Amino acid sequence: MRFLVVGLGSMGKRRVRNLKILGQSDIMGFDIRQDRIKEASRLGIKTFSTIKSALEEKPDIIIISTSPDTHLKYVQIATKMNI
């Protein structure tokens, strides 16, 4: 399974750590903020600064960890791509 964590703030990084604890290794992350991308890359995941480039990696699962006001945007993207 390929996981894409959308939003790499404190909750997104927690999701990455939890996936690793569960034995998952194919984890990617996306955030619009460079400071969060830099921090999350220390967790050993591939990171992206655009959702388009992240989706080109063909994730199987998207975990949305953004602020609630942007959830719908990423749910619609995931639904449209059948993820």
Side-chain angles (χ1 to χ4, degrees), residues 54-73:
L55 293 171
E56 287 173 357
E57 297 290 319
K58 308 240 186 277
D60 298 302
I61 297 173
I62 291 180
I63 299 171
I64 300 170
S65 295
T66 60
S67 59
D69 62 324
T70 61
H71 283 185
L72 183 60
K73 172 184 175 178

Side-chain angles (χ1 to χ4, degrees), residues 1-5 19 24 26-29 59-61 63:
M1 288 289 210
R2 302 193 84 187
F3 293 88
L4 173 60
V5 178
L19 287 167
Q24 299 300 321
D26 203 349
I27 306 166
M28 304 170 287
D60 298 302
I61 297 173
I63 299 171

Side-chain angles (χ1 to χ4, degrees), residues 3-30 36 39-47 63 65:
F3 293 88
L4 173 60
V5 178
V6 176
L8 296 171
S10 61
M11 294 307 291
K13 287 188 295 258
R14 179 177 295 168
R15 301 304 189 280
V16 170
R17 288 190 300 271
N18 288 342
L19 287 167
K20 287 181 167 259
I21 288 168
L22 292 171
Q24 299 300 321
S25 60
D26 203 349
I27 306 166
M28 304 170 287
F30 155 72
R36 289 181 177 174
E39 229 177 272
S41 65
R42 294 183 192 140
L43 297 172
I45 64 168
K46 189 172 184 178
T47 56
I63 299 171
S65 295

